[in-house]
Coordinates of all heavy atoms in Angstrom, one line a residue:
M23 N 100.2 116.9 115.5 CA 101.1 115.8 115.1 C 100.6 114.4 115.5 O 100.0 114.3 116.6 CB 102.5 116.0 115.9 CG 103.5 114.9 115.7 SD 105.0 115.1 116.7 CE 105.9 116.3 115.6
K24 N 100.7 113.5 114.6 CA 100.2 112.1 114.9 C 101.3 111.3 115.6 O 102.5 111.4 115.2 CB 99.8 111.4 113.6 CG 98.7 112.1 112.8 CD 97.3 111.7 113.2 CE 96.3 112.1 112.3 NZ 95.1 112.8 113.0
C25 N 100.9 110.6 116.6 CA 101.9 109.7 117.2 C 102.4 108.6 116.3 O 101.6 107.9 115.6 CB 101.2 109.0 118.4 SG 102.3 107.8 119.3
P26 N 103.7 108.5 116.1 CA 104.3 107.5 115.2 C 104.1 106.1 115.7 O 104.4 105.2 115.0 CB 105.8 107.9 115.1 CG 106.0 108.6 116.4 CD 104.8 109.3 116.8
Y27 N 103.7 105.9 116.9 CA 103.5 104.6 117.5 C 102.1 104.1 117.3 O 101.9 102.9 116.9 CB 103.9 104.6 119.0 CG 105.4 104.8 119.2 CD1 105.8 106.2 119.4 CD2 106.3 103.8 119.2 CE1 107.2 106.4 119.6 CE2 107.7 104.1 119.4 CZ 108.1 105.4 119.6 OH 109.4 105.7 119.8
C28 N 101.1 104.9 117.6 CA 99.7 104.5 117.6 C 98.9 105.2 116.5 O 97.8 104.8 116.2 CB 99.1 104.6 118.9 SG 98.8 106.3 119.5
G29 N 99.4 106.3 116.0 CA 98.7 107.1 114.9 C 97.7 108.0 115.4 O 97.0 108.7 114.6
E30 N 97.5 108.1 116.7 CA 96.5 109.1 117.2 C 97.1 110.5 117.4 O 98.3 110.6 117.5 CB 95.9 108.6 118.6 CG 95.0 107.3 118.4 CD 94.3 106.9 119.7 OE1 94.3 107.7 120.6 OE2 93.9 105.7 119.7
E31 N 96.2 111.5 117.5 CA 96.7 112.9 117.6 C 97.4 113.0 118.9 O 96.9 112.6 120.0 CB 95.5 113.8 117.4 CG 95.9 115.2 117.2 CD 96.6 115.5 115.9 OE1 96.3 114.8 114.9 OE2 97.5 116.3 115.9
M32 N 98.5 113.7 118.9 CA 99.2 114.0 120.1 C 98.9 115.3 120.7 O 98.4 116.2 120.0 CB 100.8 114.0 119.9 CG 101.2 112.6 119.3 SD 103.0 112.6 119.0 CE 103.6 112.0 120.6
E33 N 99.1 115.5 122.0 CA 98.8 116.8 122.7 C 100.0 117.7 122.6 O 101.1 117.2 123.0 CB 98.4 116.6 124.1 CG 97.1 115.9 124.4 CD 97.0 115.6 125.9 OE1 97.1 116.6 126.7 OE2 96.7 114.5 126.2
Q34 N 99.9 118.9 122.2 CA 101.0 119.8 122.2 C 101.2 120.5 123.5 O 100.2 120.9 124.1 CB 100.9 120.9 121.1 CG 102.1 121.8 121.0 CD 102.1 122.7 119.8 OE1 101.9 122.3 118.7 NE2 102.2 124.0 120.0
G35 N 102.4 120.7 124.0 CA 102.6 121.4 125.3 C 104.1 121.8 125.3 O 104.7 121.9 124.3
V36 N 104.6 122.1 126.5 CA 105.9 122.5 126.6 C 106.6 121.8 127.8 O 106.0 121.3 128.7 CB 106.1 124.1 127.0 CG1 105.5 124.9 125.8 CG2 105.4 124.4 128.3
I37 N 107.9 121.6 127.6 CA 108.8 121.2 128.7 C 109.7 122.4 129.1 O 110.3 123.0 128.2 CB 109.7 120.0 128.3 CG1 108.8 118.8 127.9 CG2 110.7 119.6 129.4 CD1 109.6 117.6 127.3
Q38 N 109.7 122.8 130.3 CA 110.4 124.0 130.7 C 111.4 123.7 131.8 O 111.3 122.8 132.6 CB 109.5 125.1 131.0 CG 108.6 124.9 132.2 CD 107.6 126.1 132.4 OE1 106.9 126.5 131.5 NE2 107.7 126.6 133.6
S39 N 112.4 124.6 131.9 CA 113.4 124.5 132.9 C 114.0 125.9 133.3 O 113.8 126.8 132.5 CB 114.5 123.6 132.4 OG 115.6 123.5 133.3
Q40 N 114.7 125.9 134.4 CA 115.4 127.1 134.7 C 116.9 127.0 134.3 O 117.7 127.9 134.6 CB 115.4 127.4 136.2 CG 114.0 127.7 136.8 CD 113.3 128.8 136.0 OE1 113.9 129.9 135.9 NE2 112.1 128.6 135.5
H41 N 117.1 126.0 133.5 CA 118.5 125.7 132.9 C 118.3 125.5 131.4 O 117.2 125.3 130.9 CB 119.1 124.5 133.6 CG 119.3 124.6 135.1 ND1 120.3 125.4 135.7 CD2 118.5 124.2 136.1 CE1 120.1 125.3 137.0 NE2 119.0 124.6 137.2
E42 N 119.4 125.5 130.7 CA 119.4 125.2 129.3 C 118.9 123.8 129.1 O 119.1 122.9 129.9 CB 120.9 125.2 128.8 CG 121.0 124.8 127.4 CD 122.5 124.6 127.0 OE1 123.2 125.6 126.9 OE2 123.0 123.5 126.9
L43 N 118.1 123.6 128.1 CA 117.6 122.2 127.7 C 118.4 121.7 126.5 O 118.4 122.4 125.5 CB 116.1 122.3 127.4 CG 115.2 122.4 128.7 CD1 113.8 122.7 128.2 CD2 115.2 121.1 129.4
S44 N 119.0 120.6 126.7 CA 119.8 120.1 125.6 C 119.8 118.5 125.7 O 119.6 118.0 126.8 CB 121.2 120.6 125.6 OG 121.9 120.3 126.8
W45 N 120.1 117.9 124.5 CA 120.3 116.5 124.5 C 121.8 116.3 124.5 O 122.5 116.9 123.8 CB 119.7 115.9 123.2 CG 119.8 114.4 123.2 CD1 119.0 113.4 123.6 CD2 121.0 113.7 122.7 NE1 119.5 112.2 123.4 CE2 120.7 112.3 122.8 CE3 122.2 114.1 122.1 CZ2 121.6 111.3 122.4 CZ3 123.1 113.1 121.7 CH2 122.8 111.7 121.9
M46 N 122.2 115.3 125.3 CA 123.7 115.0 125.4 C 123.8 113.4 125.4 O 122.9 112.8 125.9 CB 124.4 115.6 126.6 CG 124.4 117.1 126.6 SD 125.4 117.7 127.9 CE 124.8 119.3 128.1
A47 N 124.9 112.9 124.9 CA 125.1 111.5 124.9 C 125.1 110.9 126.3 O 124.8 109.7 126.4 CB 126.3 111.1 124.1
K48 N 125.6 111.6 127.2 CA 125.6 111.2 128.6 C 125.4 112.4 129.5 O 125.5 113.5 129.1 CB 126.8 110.4 128.9 CG 128.1 111.1 128.9 CD 129.3 110.2 129.1 CE 130.6 110.9 129.0 NZ 131.2 111.2 130.3
R49 N 125.2 112.1 130.8 CA 125.0 113.1 131.8 C 126.3 113.9 132.1 O 127.3 113.2 132.3 CB 124.4 112.5 133.0 CG 123.8 113.5 134.0 CD 123.1 112.8 135.1 NE 122.4 113.7 135.9 CZ 121.8 113.4 137.1 NH1 121.9 112.2 137.6 NH2 121.1 114.3 137.8
H50 N 126.2 115.2 132.1 CA 127.3 116.0 132.5 C 126.8 117.0 133.6 O 125.7 117.5 133.5 CB 127.8 116.9 131.3 CG 128.4 116.1 130.2 ND1 129.6 115.5 130.2 CD2 127.8 115.7 129.0 CE1 129.9 114.9 129.1 NE2 128.8 115.0 128.3
F51 N 127.7 117.2 134.5 CA 127.3 118.1 135.6 C 127.8 119.6 135.4 O 127.4 120.5 136.0 CB 127.7 117.6 136.9 CG 127.0 116.3 137.3 CD1 127.6 115.1 137.1 CD2 125.7 116.4 137.8 CE1 126.9 113.9 137.3 CE2 125.0 115.2 138.1 CZ 125.6 114.0 137.9
M52 N 128.7 119.7 134.4 CA 129.3 121.0 134.1 C 129.2 121.3 132.6 O 129.4 120.4 131.8 CB 130.8 121.1 134.5 CG 131.0 120.9 136.0 SD 130.6 122.3 137.0 CE 131.9 123.4 136.7
G53 N 128.9 122.5 132.3 CA 128.9 122.9 130.9 C 127.6 122.6 130.1 O 127.0 121.5 130.4
G54 N 127.3 123.5 129.2 CA 126.1 123.3 128.4 C 126.4 122.5 127.1 O 127.5 122.0 126.9
A55 N 125.5 122.6 126.2 CA 125.7 121.8 124.9 C 126.9 122.3 124.1 O 127.6 121.5 123.4 CB 124.4 122.0 124.0
D56 N 127.3 123.6 124.3 CA 128.4 124.1 123.5 C 129.7 123.4 123.9 O 130.7 123.4 123.2 CB 128.6 125.6 123.8 CG 127.5 126.4 123.1 OD1 126.8 125.9 122.3 OD2 127.5 127.6 123.4
F57 N 129.7 122.8 125.1 CA 131.0 122.3 125.6 C 131.1 120.8 125.4 O 132.1 120.2 125.7 CB 131.1 122.6 127.2 CG 131.2 124.0 127.5 CD1 130.1 124.8 127.7 CD2 132.5 124.6 127.4 CE1 130.2 126.1 128.0 CE2 132.6 126.0 127.7 CZ 131.4 126.8 128.0
H58 N 130.1 120.2 124.9 CA 130.1 118.7 124.7 C 129.8 118.3 123.3 O 128.6 118.6 122.8 CB 129.1 118.1 125.7 CG 129.4 118.4 127.1 ND1 130.5 117.9 127.8 CD2 128.8 119.2 128.0 CE1 130.6 118.4 129.0 NE2 129.6 119.2 129.2
E59 N 130.7 117.8 122.6 CA 130.6 117.4 121.2 C 129.4 116.5 120.9 O 129.2 115.5 121.7 CB 131.9 116.8 120.7 CG 132.0 116.7 119.2 CD 133.4 116.1 118.7 OE1 134.3 116.2 119.5 OE2 133.4 115.6 117.6
G60 N 128.7 116.8 119.9 CA 127.6 115.9 119.5 C 126.3 116.3 120.2 O 125.2 115.7 120.0
S61 N 126.3 117.3 121.1 CA 125.1 117.7 121.9 C 124.2 118.5 121.0 O 124.6 119.0 120.0 CB 125.5 118.6 123.0 OG 126.3 117.9 123.9
V62 N 122.9 118.4 121.3 CA 121.9 119.2 120.5 C 121.2 120.1 121.5 O 120.6 119.7 122.5 CB 120.9 118.2 119.9 CG1 119.8 119.0 119.2 CG2 121.5 117.2 119.0
L63 N 121.4 121.4 121.2 CA 120.7 122.4 122.0 C 119.2 122.5 121.6 O 118.9 122.7 120.5 CB 121.3 123.8 121.7 CG 120.7 125.0 122.5 CD1 121.0 124.8 124.0 CD2 121.3 126.3 122.0
L64 N 118.4 122.3 122.6 CA 116.9 122.3 122.4 C 116.3 123.6 122.7 O 115.5 124.1 122.0 CB 116.2 121.2 123.2 CG 116.7 119.8 122.9 CD1 116.1 118.8 123.9 CD2 116.4 119.4 121.5
S65 N 116.8 124.2 123.8 CA 116.3 125.6 124.2 C 117.4 126.3 124.9 O 117.9 125.9 126.0 CB 115.1 125.5 125.1 OG 114.7 126.8 125.4
A66 N 117.8 127.4 124.3 CA 118.9 128.3 124.9 C 118.3 128.9 126.2 O 117.1 129.2 126.2 CB 119.3 129.3 123.9
L67 N 119.1 129.1 127.2 CA 118.6 129.7 128.4 C 118.4 131.2 128.3 O 119.3 131.9 127.8 CB 119.6 129.4 129.5 CG 119.2 130.0 130.9 CD1 118.0 129.3 131.4 CD2 120.4 129.8 131.9
S68 N 117.3 131.7 128.7 CA 117.0 133.1 128.8 C 117.0 133.4 130.3 O 116.3 132.7 131.0 CB 115.7 133.5 128.2 OG 115.3 134.8 128.7
I69 N 117.8 134.4 130.7 CA 117.9 134.7 132.2 C 116.5 135.1 132.7 O 116.1 134.7 133.8 CB 118.9 135.8 132.4 CG1 120.3 135.2 132.2 CG2 118.8 136.3 133.9 CD1 121.4 136.2 132.1
F70 N 115.7 135.7 131.9 CA 114.4 136.2 132.3 C 113.3 135.1 132.1 O 112.3 135.1 132.9 CB 114.0 137.5 131.5 CG 115.0 138.6 131.7 CD1 115.8 138.9 130.7 CD2 115.0 139.2 132.9 CE1 116.7 139.9 130.9 CE2 116.0 140.2 133.1 CZ 116.8 140.6 132.1
K71 N 113.4 134.3 131.1 CA 112.3 133.4 130.8 C 112.6 131.9 131.1 O 111.8 131.0 130.9 CB 111.9 133.5 129.3 CG 111.4 134.9 129.0 CD 110.9 135.0 127.5 CE 112.1 135.1 126.6 NZ 111.8 135.2 125.2
G72 N 113.9 131.6 131.5 CA 114.3 130.2 131.6 C 114.4 129.6 130.2 O 114.7 130.3 129.2
S73 N 114.1 128.3 130.1 CA 114.1 127.7 128.8 C 112.8 126.9 128.6 O 112.3 126.4 129.6 CB 115.4 126.8 128.6 OG 115.3 125.8 129.6
A74 N 112.4 126.7 127.4 CA 111.2 125.9 127.2 C 111.2 125.3 125.7 O 111.7 126.0 124.8 CB 110.0 126.7 127.4
V75 N 110.8 124.1 125.6 CA 110.6 123.5 124.2 C 109.2 123.1 124.0 O 108.6 122.5 124.9 CB 111.6 122.3 124.0 CG1 113.0 122.8 123.8 CG2 111.5 121.3 125.1
V76 N 108.7 123.3 122.8 CA 107.4 122.7 122.4 C 107.6 121.2 122.2 O 108.6 120.8 121.6 CB 107.0 123.4 121.1 CG1 105.7 122.7 120.6 CG2 106.8 124.9 121.2
S77 N 106.7 120.5 122.7 CA 106.8 119.0 122.6 C 105.4 118.4 122.5 O 104.4 119.1 122.7 CB 107.5 118.4 123.8 OG 106.9 118.8 125.0
H78 N 105.4 117.2 122.0 CA 104.1 116.5 121.8 C 104.0 115.2 122.6 O 105.0 114.5 122.6 CB 103.9 116.2 120.3 CG 103.7 117.5 119.5 ND1 104.8 118.2 119.1 CD2 102.6 118.1 119.1 CE1 104.4 119.3 118.4 NE2 103.0 119.3 118.4
L79 N 102.9 115.1 123.2 CA 102.7 114.0 124.2 C 101.7 113.0 123.7 O 100.6 113.4 123.2 CB 102.2 114.6 125.5 CG 101.8 113.7 126.7 CD1 103.1 113.3 127.4 CD2 100.8 114.3 127.6
C80 N 102.0 111.7 123.9 CA 100.9 110.6 123.7 C 100.8 109.9 125.0 O 101.7 109.3 125.5 CB 101.3 109.6 122.6 SG 100.1 108.3 122.4
R81 N 99.6 110.1 125.6 CA 99.4 109.5 126.9 C 99.2 108.0 126.8 O 99.5 107.3 127.8 CB 98.1 110.1 127.6 CG 98.3 111.6 127.9 CD 97.0 112.1 128.6 NE 97.1 113.6 128.6 CZ 97.6 114.3 129.6 NH1 98.1 113.7 130.7 NH2 97.6 115.6 129.6
K82 N 98.7 107.6 125.7 CA 98.5 106.1 125.5 C 99.8 105.4 125.4 O 100.0 104.4 126.1 CB 97.7 106.0 124.2 CG 97.2 104.5 123.9 CD 96.4 104.5 122.6 CE 96.3 103.1 122.1 NZ 95.6 103.2 120.7
C83 N 100.7 105.9 124.6 CA 102.0 105.2 124.4 C 103.1 105.7 125.4 O 104.2 105.1 125.5 CB 102.5 105.5 123.0 SG 101.4 104.9 121.7
K84 N 102.7 106.8 126.2 CA 103.7 107.4 127.1 C 105.0 107.8 126.5 O 106.1 107.5 126.9 CB 103.9 106.4 128.3 CG 102.6 106.0 129.0 CD 102.8 105.6 130.4 CE 101.5 105.5 131.2 NZ 100.2 105.3 130.5
K85 N 104.8 108.5 125.4 CA 106.0 109.1 124.6 C 105.8 110.6 124.5 O 104.7 111.1 124.5 CB 106.0 108.5 123.2 CG 105.9 107.0 123.0 CD 107.1 106.3 123.5 CE 107.0 104.8 123.3 NZ 108.0 104.0 124.1
V86 N 107.0 111.2 124.5 CA 107.1 112.6 124.3 C 108.0 112.8 123.1 O 109.1 112.2 123.0 CB 107.6 113.4 125.5 CG1 107.9 114.9 125.2 CG2 106.7 113.3 126.7
I87 N 107.6 113.7 122.1 CA 108.5 113.9 120.9 C 108.8 115.4 120.9 O 107.9 116.3 121.0 CB 107.7 113.5 119.7 CG1 107.6 111.9 119.7 CG2 108.5 114.0 118.4 CD1 106.9 111.4 118.5
I88 N 110.1 115.7 120.6 CA 110.5 117.1 120.4 C 111.1 117.1 119.0 O 112.1 116.4 118.7 CB 111.6 117.4 121.5 CG1 111.0 117.3 122.9 CG2 112.2 118.8 121.2 CD1 112.1 117.4 124.0
D89 N 110.5 118.0 118.2 CA 111.0 118.2 116.8 C 112.0 119.4 116.9 O 111.5 120.5 117.0 CB 109.9 118.4 115.9 CG 110.3 118.6 114.4 OD1 111.6 118.6 114.2 OD2 109.5 118.8 113.6
Y90 N 113.3 119.2 116.8 CA 114.2 120.3 117.0 C 114.8 120.9 115.7 O 115.7 121.7 115.7 CB 115.3 119.9 118.0 CG 116.3 118.9 117.4 CD1 117.5 119.3 116.7 CD2 116.1 117.5 117.6 CE1 118.3 118.3 116.2 CE2 117.0 116.6 117.2 CZ 118.1 117.0 116.5 OH 119.0 116.1 116.0
E91 N 114.2 120.5 114.6 CA 114.6 121.0 113.3 C 114.7 122.5 113.3 O 113.7 123.2 113.6 CB 113.7 120.5 112.2 CG 114.2 120.9 110.8 CD 113.3 120.4 109.7 OE1 112.1 120.2 109.9 OE2 113.8 120.3 108.6
N92 N 115.8 123.1 112.9 CA 116.0 124.6 112.8 C 115.7 125.3 114.1 O 115.2 126.5 114.0 CB 115.2 125.1 111.6 CG 115.6 124.5 110.3 OD1 116.7 124.2 110.1 ND2 114.6 124.3 109.4
G93 N 115.8 124.7 115.2 CA 115.5 125.3 116.5 C 114.1 125.7 116.7 O 113.7 126.5 117.6
K94 N 113.1 125.1 115.9 CA 111.7 125.5 116.0 C 111.0 125.1 117.3 O 110.0 125.6 117.6 CB 110.9 125.1 114.8 CG 110.7 123.6 114.7 CD 110.0 123.3 113.3 CE 109.8 121.8 113.2 NZ 109.3 121.4 111.8
C95 N 111.6 124.1 118.0 CA 111.0 123.7 119.3 C 111.3 124.7 120.4 O 110.7 124.7 121.4 CB 111.5 122.3 119.7 SG 113.3 122.2 120.0
D96 N 112.3 125.5 120.2 CA 112.8 126.4 121.3 C 111.9 127.6 121.4 O 111.8 128.5 120.5 CB 114.2 126.9 121.0 CG 114.8 127.7 122.1 OD1 114.1 128.0 123.1 OD2 116.0 128.0 122.0
C97 N 111.2 127.7 122.5 CA 110.3 128.9 122.8 C 111.0 130.2 122.8 O 110.4 131.2 122.7 CB 109.5 128.6 124.0 SG 108.4 127.2 124.0
N98 N 112.3 130.2 123.1 CA 113.1 131.4 123.1 C 113.7 131.7 121.8 O 114.3 132.8 121.6 CB 114.3 131.2 124.1 CG 113.8 131.1 125.6 OD1 112.6 131.5 125.9 ND2 114.6 130.6 126.5
H99 N 113.6 130.9 120.8 CA 114.1 131.1 119.5 C 113.3 132.1 118.7 O 112.0 132.0 118.7 CB 114.1 129.8 118.7 CG 114.9 129.8 117.4 ND1 114.2 130.0 116.2 CD2 116.2 129.7 117.1 CE1 115.2 130.0 115.2 NE2 116.3 129.8 115.8
S100 N 113.9 133.1 118.2 CA 113.2 134.2 117.4 C 112.8 133.6 116.1 O 113.7 133.1 115.3 CB 114.0 135.4 117.3 OG 115.3 135.1 116.8
K101 N 111.5 133.5 115.8 CA 111.0 132.9 114.5 C 110.8 133.9 113.4 O 110.7 135.1 113.7 CB 109.7 132.2 114.8 CG 110.0 131.0 115.7 CD 108.7 130.3 116.2 CE 109.1 129.0 116.9 NZ 109.4 129.3 118.3
Ligands
ZN213 ZN1 100.7 106.9 120.7

């Protein structure tokens, strides 16, 4: 993936957690994406594997991009 800021090739890697990974409009201390309207689930939690999303890094621009179309960023998503 090319960085949309500088156009250079980005490094692919993962962001992982022992909790569900989701985008929410604001910080919540209780409940996952299912409980907060407008949230986007990035990686469902697996009790055995945790959660992880494929992401792309640009060290020059200091940006990380997660493409969550059709759940394809979710390492726990069955493809
Ligand atoms: Zn860049």
Side-chain angles (χ1 to χ4, degrees):
M23 176 185 277
K24 300 273 191 228
C25 175
Y27 295 89
C28 70
E30 290 185 18
E31 196 62 35
M32 303 183 85
E33 292 175 52
Q34 183 171 309
V36 296
I37 297 172
Q38 62 182 54
S39 174
Q40 294 305 310
H41 302 279
E42 173 189 287
L43 282 168
S44 58
W45 181 95
M46 296 188 200
K48 65 185 179 98
R49 194 173 189 188
H50 294 283
F51 294 98
M52 298 287 282
D56 287 351
F57 295 93
H58 302 288
E59 195 177 336
S61 298
V62 176
L63 179 66
L64 300 174
S65 179
L67 180 65
S68 160
I69 290 168
F70 301 108
K71 297 182 286 184
S73 62
V75 287
V76 175
S77 56
H78 292 83
L79 176 85
C80 179
R81 293 181 194 270
K82 184 177 164 187
C83 301
K84 304 206 169 16
K85 308 290 185 198
V86 173
I87 292 179
I88 299 168
D89 181 358
Y90 68 90
E91 185 180 24
N92 300 324
K94 69 184 178 187
C95 66
D96 187 354
C97 298
N98 292 340
H99 190 261
S100 50
K101 291 172 174 81

